[in-house]
């Protein structure tokens, strides 16, 4: 059950964004020729029926939170706006957005992920909110620069962050201490040495992985190691792959050797769809995990949380991957004022905090660092405290077209069908071909 005692009337609590004086076309529905500030508009005069496409608030608990607790607060502020909600999942979101774009029925407000905004902004489906006063400088007052960048394309602001999800190292300290270690690994060399020492086999059968690589999306695992190696996915202007340069080869080589040389985990020992994460039930001593492992453990075995210690994967530098959910607005909404009001509502501190609590995610707003939710969730707090090291995926407008090619390439190296360099060079050739067509 979400504790909503902290919730206040939403728009009154938009300390960061409302204070930034978002300038919006202060027009009647369907008329975007005049301009003014939303702050100066009487909420009773804002009207329209708008649609929301969301991959968060899914499931019974999420829908209940949005419809029973959050939307009534929005309607109390804006009684003449009606919101229809289209619930989906991230697995179906791209198809939904693409279909909507092709049909011309783009939702007024859309929530989408890191790496998604560039492609839809490039096709002019999204409103550039910097034209409305929501500039990069305004957002930098409330968010870390790397997070603001994830909502931008070609100098414009197309997305406002709601929540982040990170990939961080997690160590089971009770297992480490039994083996004589008093801290998680601080370097790649320590990661290898400790993972080998913590691996348990009974004959040839793996009983405990020293380091679990396989419970997460292989692309995101590779990206975390790539960032820790000092590498990047693309060059600075996102016109060519960079993941197949030496840092990327080193990162995929480490992943490959952890499994095939140091044998700290076997292919098939863990997967992304397992019922209980191996760090929770002790089938792994360390691993790379989504930050929401904390909330998973709270549901399954809360006592185990005292033994879980987050750490950064550190090679040439500390590495942390982040994804997340951003609020965007259609460039062609028939009710732009109502859509903007609802976007502000969704990204306001209290509402964003409630959404993050429901999903066990990391609030994007810096001001939420000292909330009860963050202070009671060590993984979320750790992620926020180390956002300076966080890097994201994506960059080119065609990212959604190529990201699906990463997992097969990485897995071909893990299965030793190709060397890491061959796998990454072949992947780079695919990506270059797609970039050339864009």
């Amino acid at each position: 059950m979400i504790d909503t005692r902290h919730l206040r009337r939403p728009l009154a609590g938009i300390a960061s964004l409302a204070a930034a004086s978002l300038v919006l076309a202060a027009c009647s529905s369907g008329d975007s020729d005049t301009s003014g500030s939303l702050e100066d508009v009487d909420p009773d005069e804002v009207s329209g029926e708008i649609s929301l496409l969301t991959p968060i608030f899914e499931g019974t608990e999420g829908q209940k939170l949005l419809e029973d607790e959050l939307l009534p607060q929005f309607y109390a502020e804006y009684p003449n706006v009606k919101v229809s909600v289209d619930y989906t999942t991230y697995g179906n979101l791209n198809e939904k957005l693409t279909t909507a774009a092709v049909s011309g029925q783009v939702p007024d407000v859309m929530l989408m992920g890191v790496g998604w905004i560039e492609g839809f902004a490039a096709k002019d489906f999204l409103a550039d909110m910097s034209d409305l006063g929501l500039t990069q400088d305004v957002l930098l007052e409330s968010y870390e620069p790397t997070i603001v960048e994830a909502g931008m394309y070609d100098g414009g602001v197309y997305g406002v962050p709601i929540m982040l999800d990170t990939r961080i190292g997690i160590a089971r300290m009770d297992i480490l201490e039994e083996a004589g270690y008093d801290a998680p690994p601080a370097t790649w060399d320590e990661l290898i040495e400790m993972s080998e020492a913590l691996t348990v086999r009974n004959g040839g059968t793996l009983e405990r992985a020293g380091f679990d690589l396989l419970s997460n999306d292989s692309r995101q695992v590779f990206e975390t190691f790539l960032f820790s190696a000092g590498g990047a996915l693309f060059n600075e202007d996102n016109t060519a792959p960079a993941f197949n340069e030496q840092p990327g080869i080193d990162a995929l080589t480490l992943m490959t050797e952890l499994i095939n040389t140091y044998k700290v985990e076997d292919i098939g020992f863990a997967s992304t769809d397992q019922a209980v994460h191996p760090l929770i039930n002790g089938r792994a001593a360390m691993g790379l995990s989504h930050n929401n492992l904390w909330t998973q453990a709270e549901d399954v075995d809360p006592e185990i949380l005292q033994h879980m210690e987050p750490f950064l994967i550190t090679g040439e530098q500390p590495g942390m991957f982040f994804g997340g959910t951003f609020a965007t607005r259609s460039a062609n909404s028939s009710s732009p004022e109502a859509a903007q009001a609802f976007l502000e509502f969704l990204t306001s501190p209290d509402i964003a905090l409630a959404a993050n609590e429901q999903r066990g995610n990391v609030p994007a707003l810096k001001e939420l660092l000292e909330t009860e939710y963050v202070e009671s969730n060590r993984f979320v707090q750790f992620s926020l405290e180390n956002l300076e090291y966080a890097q994201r995926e994506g960059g080119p407008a065609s990212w959604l077209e190529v990201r699906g090619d990463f997992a097969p390439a990485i897995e071909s190296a893990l299965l030793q069908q190709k060397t890491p360099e061959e796998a990454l060079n072949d992947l780079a050739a695919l990506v270059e071909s797609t970039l050339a067509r864009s």
Side-chain angles (χ1 to χ4, degrees), residues 4 13 38 109 123 202 225 235 271 273 277 328 341 381 383 386-387 419 428-429:
T4 58
L38 187 60
V109 178
K123 295 176 182 175
N202 183 0
F225 279 104
N235 61 0
S271 70
D273 58 359
H277 196 285
T328 68
Q381 190 172 36
S383 297
N386 290 282
L387 281 181
T419 67

Side-chain angles (χ1 to χ4, degrees), residues 6 14 107 141 206 272 303 338 376 410:
H6 59 281
I14 305 180
E141 295 175 8
L206 180 64
T272 55
E303 295 297 320
S376 65
I410 294 163

